[in-house]
Amino acid sequence: MDKNKKEQEKKKNWLGFQKKERIERIEMLENNDFLDKNTKKILLENENLPLEIANQITENNIATFSLPMGIAPNFLIDGKEYAVPMVTEEPSVIAAASYAAKIISKCKGFKTIALDRKMIGEIALYDIIDFEKAKNLILKNENKILEIANEAYPSIVKRGGGAICLEIKKLENFLVVYLTVDVKEAMGANILNTMLEGIKPLLEEITNSTALMGILSNYATKSLVTATCEIDSKLLGGNHVAKKIDLASKFAKIDTYRAATHNKGIFNGIDAVVIATGNDWRGIEAAGHAFAAKNGKYEGLTTWTFDEKINKLKGELTLPMPVASVGGSIGLNPSVTAAFDILKNPSAIELAKIIVSVGLAQNLAAIKALVTTGIQKGHMKLQARTLALFSGAKDGEVDLVVNTILEKKLIINSENIKNILEEIRNI
Ligand code: NDP
């Protein structure tokens, strides 16, 4: 067997991962070649954001705040296997992502495409007398304006990026100037905002108008990423399930009440990876929800179609995904460094592809559960765990309490959990 094949086979050993102890999981990650020594130490010691850094990066600091980090293994994306770090306080999210990723990995995994990787910022001008004249004057001076933008942030030009072009649109009484910038590995908010501040006076001067504001747009339509997959219907439980998933995706396109929840489920996965990698999840959420309304109506973001001729369910998710591999607080938080290392230090585009794939997997798991068993079955077990913890159950007692309440088929509420805990303690 050649070395590459051996490596691949070694990486695929996730047997019993979810049932292991924390330390064993870390060892399994290491054995599967997803950890280096430094990251292993960070994880073993549960190293978090140091207080002195927390005090520097936000204001009025009094403490740091923790969330659980887990791993969703079995993500096969463009032929490469990933163990995806996810940070979330919501039960069942990581299990659902792992479950869907495993099914999809049996069907050649996710295929992705990054359509572009640029950011857009805008300046809104008002008090304009002649819009056509103002527009023509801006276009006539485009090169000069781009030059000034680049002079305002020269280091991004040195890195091979920089301001690229202007677009102009009249929106009621505003003339809006959109600036497109190649921000390389950064998310680009500070880069764009600095450039926009730099060109504002010149735009005002050329057009004899007033600038209301200059700011990055989180509607990152020049950073779109698409993830797709094709799943054999038998792996989903048969054609009838695949057809229902197809229907559920159509339903989410037409009912806003469902669309909001459908997309919330997608962001359960997306946010978890965005947070783990130290990215700005508010920006990613804003971009995603704006994109969901791109057709003039808020819609479900995924599209699932069942192809009866080949018995395959095809899934697609396209989203603006302007995540970064540098900048912001990335590199300051040891947990973020660990997450990047587990992902084998992806570039910004590779990370965006991983995140959109996780969103697609998360959605598949959620709607498959909804159209078959319903999601409460899995959720109630986790709810029982949470209630057991709230009732004071210790590590060794939690599983016992949960198993007992499920075996006895009692209603899962705090009273029943407390009674069972007492019974166990009195044995
Ligand atoms: P930074 O201001 O941190 O800028 C990027 C940094 O990364 C620069 O210091 C740059 O170095 C460095 N860098 C190293 N390598 C590269 C590379 N290959 N490509 C690009 N940069 C590189 O971050 P951003 O401008 O990306 O802004 C993101 C931050 O802004 C986030 O914290 C976000 O929360 C926040 N923000 C978001 C807003 C929004 O979303 N609307 C608004 C305002 C702020 P060098 O200095 O040498 O160029």
Coordinates of all heavy atoms in Angstrom, one line a residue, residues 280-339:
D280 N -15.8 37.0 12.7 CA -16.9 37.9 13.2 C -18.3 37.3 12.8 O -18.7 37.4 11.6 CB -16.7 39.2 12.5 CG -17.7 40.3 12.9 OD1 -18.8 39.9 13.4 OD2 -17.4 41.5 12.7
W281 N -18.9 36.5 13.7 CA -20.1 35.8 13.4 C -21.3 36.8 13.1 O -22.2 36.5 12.4 CB -20.5 34.8 14.4 CG -21.0 35.3 15.7 CD1 -22.3 35.4 16.1 CD2 -20.2 35.7 16.8 NE1 -22.4 35.9 17.3 CE2 -21.1 36.1 17.8 CE3 -18.9 35.8 17.1 CZ2 -20.7 36.5 19.1 CZ3 -18.4 36.2 18.4 CH2 -19.4 36.6 19.3
R282 N -21.2 38.0 13.7 CA -22.3 38.9 13.4 C -22.3 39.3 11.9 O -23.4 39.4 11.3 CB -22.2 40.2 14.2 CG -22.4 40.1 15.7 CD -21.2 39.6 16.5 NE -20.0 40.5 16.3 CZ -18.8 40.1 16.5 NH1 -18.6 38.9 17.0 NH2 -17.8 40.9 16.3
G283 N -21.1 39.5 11.4 CA -21.0 39.9 10.0 C -21.5 38.7 9.1 O -22.2 38.9 8.0
I284 N -21.1 37.5 9.4 CA -21.5 36.3 8.6 C -23.0 36.1 8.7 O -23.7 35.8 7.7 CB -20.7 35.1 9.1 CG1 -19.2 35.3 8.9 CG2 -21.2 33.8 8.4 CD1 -18.8 35.5 7.5
E285 N -23.6 36.3 9.9 CA -25.1 36.2 10.0 C -25.8 37.3 9.2 O -26.7 37.0 8.4 CB -25.5 36.4 11.5 CG -25.2 35.2 12.4 CD -26.5 34.3 12.6 OE1 -27.6 34.7 12.1 OE2 -26.3 33.3 13.2
A286 N -25.3 38.5 9.3 CA -25.9 39.6 8.5 C -25.9 39.3 7.0 O -26.9 39.5 6.3 CB -25.2 40.9 8.9
A287 N -24.7 38.9 6.6 CA -24.5 38.6 5.1 C -25.5 37.5 4.7 O -26.2 37.6 3.7 CB -23.1 38.1 4.9
G288 N -25.6 36.4 5.5 CA -26.4 35.3 5.2 C -27.9 35.6 5.1 O -28.6 35.3 4.2
H289 N -28.4 36.4 6.1 CA -29.8 36.7 6.1 C -30.1 37.7 5.0 O -31.2 37.6 4.4 CB -30.2 37.2 7.5 CG -30.1 36.1 8.5 ND1 -30.8 35.0 8.4 CD2 -29.3 36.0 9.6 CE1 -30.4 34.2 9.5 NE2 -29.5 34.8 10.2
A290 N -29.2 38.7 4.7 CA -29.4 39.6 3.6 C -29.5 38.8 2.3 O -30.4 39.0 1.4 CB -28.3 40.6 3.5
F291 N -28.6 37.8 2.1 CA -28.6 36.9 0.9 C -29.9 36.1 0.8 O -30.4 35.9 -0.3 CB -27.4 36.0 0.9 CG -27.0 35.5 -0.4 CD1 -26.5 36.3 -1.4 CD2 -27.2 34.1 -0.6 CE1 -26.2 35.7 -2.7 CE2 -26.9 33.5 -1.9 CZ -26.4 34.4 -2.9
A292 N -30.4 35.7 1.9 CA -31.7 34.9 1.9 C -32.8 35.7 1.4 O -33.8 35.2 1.0 CB -32.0 34.4 3.3
A293 N -32.7 37.1 1.4 CA -33.8 37.9 0.9 C -33.4 38.5 -0.4 O -34.1 39.5 -0.9 CB -34.0 39.1 1.9
K294 N -32.5 37.9 -1.1 CA -32.0 38.5 -2.4 C -33.1 38.5 -3.5 O -33.0 39.3 -4.4 CB -30.7 37.8 -2.9 CG -31.0 36.4 -3.4 CD -29.7 35.7 -3.8 CE -29.9 34.3 -4.3 NZ -30.7 33.5 -3.4
N295 N -34.1 37.6 -3.4 CA -35.1 37.6 -4.4 C -36.3 38.5 -4.0 O -37.4 38.4 -4.6 CB -35.6 36.2 -4.7 CG -34.5 35.3 -5.2 OD1 -33.6 35.8 -6.0 ND2 -34.4 34.0 -4.8
G296 N -36.1 39.4 -3.0 CA -37.2 40.3 -2.6 C -38.1 39.7 -1.6 O -39.1 40.3 -1.2
K297 N -37.7 38.5 -1.1 CA -38.5 37.8 -0.1 C -37.6 36.9 0.7 O -36.7 36.3 0.1 CB -39.6 37.0 -0.8 CG -40.5 36.1 0.0 CD -41.5 35.4 -0.9 CE -42.2 34.3 -0.2 NZ -41.4 33.2 0.2
Y298 N -37.7 36.8 2.0 CA -36.8 36.0 2.8 C -37.1 34.5 2.5 O -38.2 34.0 2.7 CB -37.0 36.3 4.3 CG -36.0 35.6 5.2 CD1 -34.8 36.2 5.4 CD2 -36.2 34.4 5.7 CE1 -33.8 35.6 6.2 CE2 -35.3 33.8 6.5 CZ -34.1 34.4 6.8 OH -33.1 33.8 7.6
E299 N -36.1 33.8 2.1 CA -36.2 32.3 1.7 C -35.2 31.4 2.4 O -34.2 31.9 2.9 CB -36.0 32.2 0.2 CG -37.0 32.9 -0.7 CD -36.6 32.9 -2.1 OE1 -35.4 32.6 -2.5 OE2 -37.5 33.0 -3.0
G300 N -35.6 30.1 2.4 CA -34.6 29.1 2.9 C -33.4 29.2 2.0 O -33.5 29.3 0.8
L301 N -32.2 29.0 2.6 CA -31.0 29.2 1.9 C -30.5 28.0 1.1 O -29.8 28.1 0.1 CB -29.8 29.6 2.8 CG -29.9 31.1 3.3 CD1 -29.1 31.3 4.6 CD2 -29.4 32.0 2.2
T302 N -30.9 26.8 1.5 CA -30.5 25.6 0.8 C -31.5 25.2 -0.2 O -32.7 25.5 -0.1 CB -30.3 24.4 1.8 OG1 -31.5 24.3 2.5 CG2 -29.1 24.6 2.7
T303 N -31.0 24.4 -1.2 CA -31.9 23.8 -2.2 C -31.6 22.3 -2.2 O -30.4 21.9 -2.5 CB -31.6 24.4 -3.6 OG1 -31.8 25.8 -3.5 CG2 -32.6 23.9 -4.6
W304 N -32.6 21.5 -2.0 CA -32.4 20.0 -2.1 C -33.4 19.5 -3.1 O -34.6 19.8 -3.1 CB -32.8 19.3 -0.7 CG -31.9 19.7 0.4 CD1 -32.0 20.6 1.3 CD2 -30.6 19.1 0.6 NE1 -30.9 20.6 2.2 CE2 -30.1 19.7 1.8 CE3 -29.9 18.0 0.0 CZ2 -28.8 19.3 2.3 CZ3 -28.6 17.7 0.6 CH2 -28.1 18.3 1.7
T305 N -32.8 18.8 -4.1 CA -33.7 18.2 -5.2 C -33.4 16.7 -5.3 O -32.3 16.3 -5.3 CB -33.4 18.9 -6.5 OG1 -32.1 19.2 -6.6 CG2 -34.2 20.1 -6.8
F306 N -34.5 16.0 -5.3 CA -34.4 14.5 -5.4 C -34.5 14.2 -6.9 O -35.5 14.5 -7.5 CB -35.5 13.8 -4.6 CG -35.4 12.3 -4.7 CD1 -34.2 11.7 -4.5 CD2 -36.5 11.6 -5.1 CE1 -34.1 10.3 -4.6 CE2 -36.5 10.2 -5.2 CZ -35.3 9.6 -5.0
D307 N -33.5 13.5 -7.4 CA -33.5 13.0 -8.8 C -33.9 11.5 -8.8 O -33.1 10.7 -8.4 CB -32.1 13.2 -9.4 CG -32.1 12.9 -10.9 OD1 -33.0 12.2 -11.3 OD2 -31.2 13.5 -11.6
E308 N -35.1 11.3 -9.1 CA -35.7 9.9 -9.0 C -35.0 9.0 -10.0 O -35.0 7.8 -9.7 CB -37.2 10.0 -9.3 CG -38.0 9.4 -8.1 CD -39.5 9.7 -8.2 OE1 -39.8 10.8 -8.7 OE2 -40.2 8.8 -7.9
K309 N -34.5 9.5 -11.1 CA -33.9 8.6 -12.1 C -32.7 7.9 -11.6 O -32.4 6.8 -11.9 CB -33.6 9.5 -13.4 CG -34.8 9.9 -14.2 CD -34.4 10.5 -15.5 CE -35.4 11.5 -16.0 NZ -35.0 12.9 -15.7
I310 N -31.9 8.7 -10.8 CA -30.7 8.1 -10.3 C -30.7 7.8 -8.7 O -29.7 7.5 -8.1 CB -29.4 9.0 -10.6 CG1 -29.7 10.4 -10.2 CG2 -29.1 8.9 -12.1 CD1 -28.4 11.3 -10.4
N311 N -31.9 8.0 -8.2 CA -32.0 7.8 -6.7 C -31.1 8.7 -5.9 O -30.5 8.2 -4.9 CB -31.9 6.4 -6.3 CG -33.0 5.5 -6.9 OD1 -34.1 6.0 -7.1 ND2 -32.7 4.3 -7.3
K312 N -30.9 9.9 -6.3 CA -29.9 10.7 -5.5 C -30.6 12.0 -5.1 O -31.3 12.6 -5.9 CB -28.7 11.0 -6.4 CG -27.7 9.9 -6.5 CD -26.4 10.4 -7.1 CE -25.5 9.3 -7.6 NZ -25.1 8.3 -6.7
L313 N -30.2 12.4 -3.9 CA -30.7 13.7 -3.4 C -29.5 14.7 -3.6 O -28.4 14.4 -3.1 CB -31.0 13.6 -1.9 CG -31.5 14.9 -1.3 CD1 -32.9 15.3 -1.7 CD2 -31.5 14.8 0.3
K314 N -29.8 15.8 -4.3 CA -28.7 16.8 -4.5 C -29.0 18.0 -3.6 O -30.1 18.6 -3.6 CB -28.8 17.2 -6.0 CG -28.5 16.1 -6.9 CD -28.5 16.5 -8.4 CE -28.3 15.3 -9.3 NZ -28.4 15.6 -10.7
G315 N -27.9 18.4 -3.0 CA -28.0 19.6 -2.1 C -27.1 20.7 -2.5 O -26.0 20.5 -3.1
E316 N -27.5 21.9 -2.3 CA -26.7 23.1 -2.6 C -26.9 24.2 -1.7 O -28.1 24.5 -1.2 CB -27.1 23.5 -4.1 CG -26.1 24.5 -4.7 CD -26.7 25.8 -5.0 OE1 -27.3 26.0 -6.1 OE2 -26.4 26.8 -4.2
L317 N -25.8 24.8 -1.3 CA -25.9 26.0 -0.4 C -24.9 27.0 -0.9 O -23.7 26.7 -1.0 CB -25.6 25.7 1.1 CG -25.5 26.8 2.0 CD1 -26.8 27.6 2.1 CD2 -25.1 26.3 3.4
T318 N -25.4 28.2 -1.2 CA -24.5 29.3 -1.6 C -24.7 30.5 -0.6 O -25.8 30.8 -0.2 CB -24.9 29.9 -3.0 OG1 -24.7 28.8 -4.0 CG2 -24.0 31.0 -3.4
L319 N -23.6 31.0 -0.1 CA -23.6 32.0 0.9 C -22.4 33.0 0.7 O -21.4 32.6 0.3 CB -23.5 31.4 2.3 CG -24.7 30.9 3.0 CD1 -24.3 30.2 4.3 CD2 -25.7 32.1 3.3
P320 N -22.6 34.3 1.1 CA -21.5 35.1 1.2 C -20.7 34.6 2.4 O -21.3 34.5 3.5 CB -22.1 36.5 1.5 CG -23.5 36.4 1.3 CD -23.9 35.0 1.5
M321 N -19.4 34.4 2.3 CA -18.6 33.8 3.4 C -17.3 34.5 3.6 O -16.2 33.9 3.4 CB -18.5 32.3 3.2 CG -18.1 31.5 4.5 SD -19.0 31.9 6.0 CE -20.6 31.4 5.6
P322 N -17.3 35.8 3.9 CA -16.0 36.6 4.0 C -15.3 36.3 5.3 O -15.0 37.3 6.0 CB -16.5 38.0 3.8 CG -17.9 38.0 4.5 CD -18.5 36.7 4.2
V323 N -14.9 35.1 5.6 CA -14.2 34.8 6.8 C -12.7 35.1 6.5 O -12.3 35.1 5.4 CB -14.4 33.4 7.3 CG1 -15.7 33.3 8.0 CG2 -14.3 32.4 6.2
A324 N -11.9 35.2 7.6 CA -10.5 35.5 7.5 C -9.6 34.4 8.1 O -10.1 33.7 8.9 CB -10.2 36.9 8.2
S325 N -8.4 34.4 7.6 CA -7.4 33.5 8.3 C -6.5 34.3 9.2 O -5.6 33.8 9.9 CB -6.7 32.6 7.3 OG -5.8 33.4 6.5
V326 N -6.6 35.7 9.0 CA -5.7 36.6 9.8 C -6.5 37.8 10.2 O -7.6 38.0 9.7 CB -4.5 37.1 9.0 CG1 -3.5 36.0 8.6 CG2 -5.0 37.8 7.8
G327 N -6.0 38.6 11.1 CA -6.6 39.9 11.5 C -7.7 39.7 12.6 O -7.9 38.6 13.1
G328 N -8.3 40.8 13.0 CA -9.2 40.8 14.1 C -8.5 40.2 15.3 O -7.3 40.6 15.6
S329 N -9.2 39.3 16.0 CA -8.5 38.7 17.2 C -7.9 37.3 16.9 O -7.5 36.6 17.8 CB -9.6 38.6 18.3 OG -10.5 37.6 18.0
I330 N -7.9 36.9 15.6 CA -7.4 35.6 15.3 C -5.9 35.6 15.6 O -5.2 36.6 15.3 CB -7.5 35.4 13.7 CG1 -9.0 35.3 13.4 CG2 -6.8 34.1 13.3 CD1 -9.3 35.3 11.9
G331 N -5.4 34.6 16.3 CA -4.0 34.6 16.7 C -3.8 35.0 18.1 O -2.8 34.7 18.7
L332 N -4.8 35.7 18.7 CA -4.6 36.2 20.1 C -5.3 35.2 21.1 O -4.9 35.2 22.2 CB -5.3 37.6 20.3 CG -4.8 38.7 19.4 CD1 -5.6 40.0 19.6 CD2 -3.3 39.0 19.8
N333 N -6.2 34.4 20.6 CA -6.9 33.4 21.4 C -6.4 32.0 21.2 O -6.5 31.5 20.1 CB -8.4 33.5 21.1 CG -9.2 32.7 22.1 OD1 -8.8 31.8 22.7 ND2 -10.5 33.1 22.2
P334 N -5.8 31.4 22.2 CA -5.2 30.0 22.0 C -6.2 29.0 21.5 O -5.9 28.1 20.7 CB -4.7 29.6 23.4 CG -4.7 30.8 24.2 CD -5.6 31.8 23.6
S335 N -7.5 29.1 21.9 CA -8.5 28.2 21.4 C -8.7 28.4 19.9 O -8.9 27.4 19.1 CB -9.9 28.4 22.0 OG -9.7 28.6 23.4
V336 N -8.6 29.6 19.4 CA -8.7 29.9 17.9 C -7.5 29.3 17.2 O -7.7 28.7 16.1 CB -8.9 31.4 17.7 CG1 -8.8 31.7 16.2 CG2 -10.2 31.9 18.3
T337 N -6.3 29.5 17.8 CA -5.1 28.9 17.2 C -5.3 27.4 17.1 O -5.0 26.8 16.1 CB -3.9 29.2 18.1 OG1 -3.9 30.7 18.2 CG2 -2.6 28.8 17.5
A338 N -5.8 26.8 18.2 CA -6.1 25.3 18.2 C -7.0 24.9 17.0 O -6.8 24.0 16.3 CB -6.6 24.9 19.5
A339 N -8.1 25.7 16.9 CA -9.1 25.4 15.9 C -8.5 25.4 14.5 O -8.7 24.5 13.6 CB -10.3 26.3 16.0

